[in-house]
Amino acid sequence: PESGGDSSAVQDQLRNVQKIQATGRAFAAVSADGSVVAWGHVALGGDILEVRDQLKNVQDVQAAVDGAFAAILADGSAISWGHPIFGGDSSGV
């Protein structure tokens, strides 16, 4: 579970998935409605709690292998989450 291999906690949210990306220990899925679901290691991208409100109308998501994700929103802005050392904190940009 810590490496993302168990999606049972979010299985009911994994509907109409358009894209999945993975870090070394977490996954992020983008649904057709532009929402994102993440699971796996909490500190390495598996938890979107801090950015959930900002992850609306997601067009694309990319993963950094070490432990962060970045999402491109419909308005052209970007948001990241995961471990700050690996790019998971874009608040200062």
Side-chain angles (χ1 to χ4, degrees), residues 4-58:
D6 182 1
S7 64
S8 60
V10 296
Q11 193 65 46
D12 62 323
Q13 300 171 59
L14 294 172
R15 301 284 181 256
N16 298 314
V17 173
Q18 302 296 305
K19 183 172 188 173
I20 295 178
Q21 287 283 305
T23 66
R25 297 198 173 218
F27 290 86
V30 180
S31 295
D33 65 0
S35 63
V36 174
V37 177
W39 67 97
H41 194 289
V42 174
L44 298 173
D47 180 10
I48 60 170
L49 186 60
E50 291 184 18
V51 295
R52 181 181 308 275
D53 292 340
Q54 299 168 52
L55 288 173
K56 307 288 186 208
N57 299 312
V58 172

